[in-house]
């Protein structure tokens, strides 16, 4: 069964600190993996898209990694800001691109 | 960048009435749009896939007669919650994929908060 598991479920960090969110998947065949940021009461916004051939992709202070062999991805946030407080969702697409499997998300709270 | 507009952002309706939610792609054509439901502190649950000019594909457990989807053009899909009940209260989100880009990100609307009283 295709699944996407995210950890931790929630995380609280101090402003300025770094953090790493994890995403493990069992989707096969695999096409791409996406990280989204969802602010409360808003729609998700794309952060990165990675295909199986990509290991690392950055978007400002966000860096995503992908290990297609172990089927793991991480999202690293550097020098966190209060505005980083949100839910981060990992979404994996199968090779046909017809199925999008959503993780349950990690809720990040950045405090001052 | 690509924008998906969802309207209304909030709606309160009485039990038994119907509510229509619109999802528009503003600067790109979307042959496929997706409708999701999200409960508090939960991730998005795909309800249905809407294809322009054809019938929507519903996920298992989603009543197609209750959640009517119409995708009449390449820029507009609508979700109508018919005979709404309090248990239909939720956050509904649409997304669209730019058909012109093979590996384009999904563009999400900002959601509609439905409250049925």
């Amino acid at each position: 069964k295709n699944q996407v598991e995210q950890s931790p479920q929630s995380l609280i960090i101090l402003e300025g600190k770094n953090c790493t969110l994890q995403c493990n998947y069992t989707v096969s065949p695999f096409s791409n993996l996406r990280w989204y940021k969802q602010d409360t009461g808003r729609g998700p916004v794309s952060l990165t898209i990675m295909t199986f051939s990509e290991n690392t992709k950055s978007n400002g202070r966000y860096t995503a990694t992908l290990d297609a062999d172990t089927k793991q991805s991480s999202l690293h946030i550097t020098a966190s800001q209060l505005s980083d407080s949100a839910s981060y969702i990992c979404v994996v697409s199968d090779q046909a691109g017809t199925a999008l499997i959503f993780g349950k998300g990690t809720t990040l709270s950045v405090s001052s | 960048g690509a924008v998906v507009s969802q309207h209304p952002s909030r709606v309160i309706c009485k039990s038994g009435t119907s509510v229509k939610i619109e999802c528009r792609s503003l600067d790109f054509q979307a042959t496929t749009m997706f409708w999701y439901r999200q409960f508090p502190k939960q991730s998005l649950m795909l309800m249905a896939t809407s294809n322009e000019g054809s019938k929507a594909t519903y996920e298992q457990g989603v009543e197609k007669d209750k959640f009517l989807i119409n995708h009449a053009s390449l820029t507009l899909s609508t979700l109508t919650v018919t005979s709404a009940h309090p248990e239909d209260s939720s956050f509904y989100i649409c997304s669209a994929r730019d058909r012109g880009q093979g590996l384009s990100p999904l563009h999400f609307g900002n959601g509609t908060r439905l409250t049925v009283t």
Side-chain angles (χ1 to χ4, degrees):
Chain A
K1 180 180 179 181
N2 288 333
Q3 288 185 315
V4 175
E5 300 286 343
Q6 289 188 244
S7 62
Q9 185 175 4
S10 62
L11 182 63
I12 301 173
I13 61 173
L14 289 175
E15 187 179 13
K17 298 296 185 182
N18 304 334
C19 67
T20 301
L21 314 180
Q22 299 290 340
C23 174
N24 297 338
Y25 62 93
T26 60
V27 177
S28 182
F30 166 84
S31 173
N32 59 79
L33 184 146
R34 306 158 188 249
W35 282 96
Y36 287 86
K37 177 187 179 187
Q38 184 180 20
D39 292 314
T40 302
R42 310 280 287 184
V45 174
S46 179
L47 294 176
T48 63
I49 302 175
M50 301 178 72
T51 63
F52 72 93
S53 61
E54 297 176 291
N55 299 123
T56 304
K57 182 165 282 189
S58 292
N59 178 359
R61 294 179 297 102
Y62 300 103
T63 299
T65 65
L66 174 65
D67 186 331
D69 292 330
T70 61
K71 299 186 177 179
Q72 296 179 325
S73 176
S74 65
L75 180 68
H76 186 74
I77 304 175
T78 304
S80 62
Q81 300 176 357
L82 297 179
S83 59
D84 292 332
S85 296
S87 178
Y88 291 83
I89 304 170
C90 175
V91 184
V92 180
S93 177
D94 69 359
Q95 195 166 46
T98 57
L100 291 171
I101 298 93
F102 285 74
K104 291 186 177 180
T106 292
T107 300
L108 173 65
S109 298
V110 180
S111 60
S112 57
Chain B
V3 177
V4 172
S5 174
Q6 191 172 337
H7 179 80
S9 58
R10 290 178 180 271
V11 59
I12 300 173
C13 70
K14 292 185 177 181
S15 187
T17 62
S18 296
V19 174
K20 179 184 284 188
I21 303 170
E22 291 188 349
C23 181
R24 294 180 183 272
S25 56
L26 297 185
D27 56 358
F28 65 98
Q29 293 183 327
T31 51
T32 303
M33 290 187 175
F34 304 89
W35 287 96
Y36 308 84
R37 185 172 181 175
Q38 187 175 34
F39 292 104
K41 301 188 184 299
Q42 298 286 318
S43 190
L44 284 74
M45 292 171 43
L46 180 65
M47 298 175 65
T49 302
S50 168
N51 298 298
E52 186 266 338
S54 64
K55 291 183 178 180
T57 303
Y58 290 82
E59 296 299 301
Q60 190 173 8
V62 178
E63 299 176 57
K64 62 179 181 180
D65 294 328
K66 179 161 187 65
F67 299 100
L68 299 179
I69 292 173
N70 183 280
H71 194 156
S73 75
L74 286 172
T75 60
L76 174 64
S77 176
T78 61
L79 168 68
T80 301
V81 183
T82 62
S83 187
H85 292 285
E87 57 264 31
D88 297 326
S89 298
S90 189
F91 192 55
Y92 294 88
I93 306 177
C94 70
S95 71
R97 178 181 288 150
D98 186 344
R99 74 169 189 171
Q101 299 184 24
L103 201 59
S104 64
L106 282 177
H107 303 287
F108 287 84
N110 273 326
T112 297
R113 174 73 60 193
L114 170 63
T115 303
V116 184
T117 61

